[in-house]
Amino acid sequence: MHPTYPPEPWRIKMVEPIRLPTPTERREALLDAGYNTSLLRAADVFIDLYTDSGTNAMSDRQWSDMMIGDEAYAGSRSFYRLENTIQQYYGYPHVIPTHQGRGAENILSRILVKPGSHIPGNMYFTTTRTHQELNGGTFHDIIIDEAHDPADEHPFKGNVDLAKLDRLIKDVGAEDIPYVSLAATVNMAGGQPISLANLAETRELTAAHGIPIILDAARAVENAWFIRQREPGHADHSIARILAEICDLTDGACMSAKKDSYANIGGWLAVRDPDLAERARNLVVVYEGLHTYGGMAGRDMEAVARGIEESVEHDNIRARVEQVAYLGDRLIAAGVPVMRPLGGHAVCLDAAATLEHVPRTEFPAQTLAAAIYLDSATRTAERGAVSAGRDPVTGDHRYPKLELVRLTIPRRVYTRSHIDFVADSVINVHNARATIASGLTFTHEPSVLRFFQGRFTPADRMVQSRT
Ligand SMILES: *Cc1c(COP(=O)(O)O)cnc(C)c1O
């Protein structure tokens, strides 16, 4: 009855104790956090599925490489190792290290985006779009419509709708499109991949207009796995080869090494154009650090370099994606509405379907995330209207079609029994959904990235808890 679960290609050498708080402790912690799982203290969390960002367990090899990190301010040996590794696996000639992904986005956006710029992308990502907007640009979603339908089984829901992109180029003109921003996989759609065929077609269209493509490579290894599984002609290719083919079709990338690269911190910007690289090196000194460390310690660069090598190992990426699928399959078997097909790093609950009786103005996903925490001290993340923020022009809430609660699985951290514990809790909450009497309303709403620090209270001030 349980779906398959391949044995992990690692064993545990060091443990970190975790503790399940009591129901009373959970209720107090949630109140203190203003019903926002982002504001919970990690010590009040039992299973932490808030994010897979920087929460990876590093390998013994990564830890031992950290001991030989070169902390030279300029020209660190560890930088050259990292640069080499990125060139080898991602293929871009010019590498600019940053403290994490958004550092790369800041530098890229400051160089390429100006007031009046339009940036098309396969669905927005929070920090990416914020940097584009802070520099005066406007983001345009050019993902296929299927991506906005949680039930659609399209195998590549990260694909670009070429007609939407073509129309945008005609409407605003290629000269006001500094680049197309493509994510592989698409985080906000629940880790959905883009196909190589679609990437090649997008490339053809943009090249005809002289528009570069910048890849968000945070989970490009996971994307490569899905291409191997689902796209005809790639079943015998190595993950490293598919990753290189993805990057070959793009002009540069922003990378959060806290995702695919099994690191706890780190990132980079990499480009093919030497002039762009030069401008990026000039800016990285201002915002991150010298261009041979960019905000990372030498030891961090060692961990990232080794992590890149491990990330493309077949058994590692297989165990990673199949653990996510196992959780999703258990929920699907129990009738819990989840985003289909299952993504690479997360299972996303369709909160609008589970909490049909909670209006969108009362943030069903924020409400469901709070209920799951109360049930089992499992921390999840809202990915719906709260994350989408307000329209910068009209000031109104943006209500994306997807109102999701994301259960994001850290790499190499939890075992099957942890995943079963989470599945049982989510199934419990779903089955008792009628006891959730109302949604939530803001008591404090920050003006940027409001999902991180916003505070809420029950819309009717008396949410029922089952605990
Ligand atoms: C995490 C993430 C980023 C930002 O990276 P940070 O390292 O968190 O700054 C950008 N894009 C995607 C798709 C991400 O998942």
Side-chain angles (χ1 to χ4, degrees), residues 403-421:
E403 176 73 11
L404 306 175
V405 169
R406 198 183 66 186
L407 283 67
T408 330
I409 315 294
R411 294 167 190 77
R412 304 192 292 209
V413 170
Y414 293 115
T415 64
R416 176 173 172 171
S417 52
H418 293 126
I419 299 292
D420 278 326
F421 173 87

Side-chain angles (χ1 to χ4, degrees), residues 165 169 180 201-213 251:
L165 176 56
I169 296 172
V180 173
E201 283 172 2
T202 307
R203 174 73 164 172
E204 211 172 299
L205 176 58
T206 54
H209 294 276
I211 304 170
I213 295 178
D251 300 280

Side-chain angles (χ1 to χ4, degrees), residues 51-53 99-103 105 125-128 183-188 216-219 254-259 265-267 345 406:
T51 180
D52 63 334
S53 181
H99 77 288
Q100 59 183 80
R102 70 198 68 185
E105 294 172 344
F125 182 71
T126 54
T127 58
T128 315
T185 60
V186 181
N187 188 345
M188 299 302 280
D216 183 329
R219 296 183 188 80
C254 290
M255 178 66 181
S256 170
K258 303 172 72 171
K259 316 291 170 54
I265 193 72
H345 67 296
R406 198 183 66 186

Side-chain angles (χ1 to χ4, degrees), residues 18 63 91 115 184 189 248 256 298 301 343 374 429 434:
I18 51 175
W63 281 108
D248 274 353
S256 170
M301 294 191 279
L374 276 183
V429 172

Side-chain angles (χ1 to χ4, degrees), residues 363 385-386 388-391 395-398 441-451 453-456:
F363 309 121
V386 175
R390 289 180 184 270
D391 186 300
D396 294 335
H397 292 302
R398 292 189 260 222
T441 166
F442 271 108
T443 56
H444 167 67
E445 184 187 344
S447 57
V448 286
L449 300 178
R450 62 183 185 173
F451 54 95
Q453 298 193 75
R455 301 182 69 84
F456 302 83

Side-chain angles (χ1 to χ4, degrees), residues 157-175:
K157 285 169 103 171
N159 279 357
V160 169
D161 184 329
L162 291 154
K164 286 184 193 169
L165 176 56
D166 194 44
R167 206 174 315 128
L168 183 74
I169 296 172
K170 292 205 169 94
D171 284 354
V172 305
E175 55 293 347

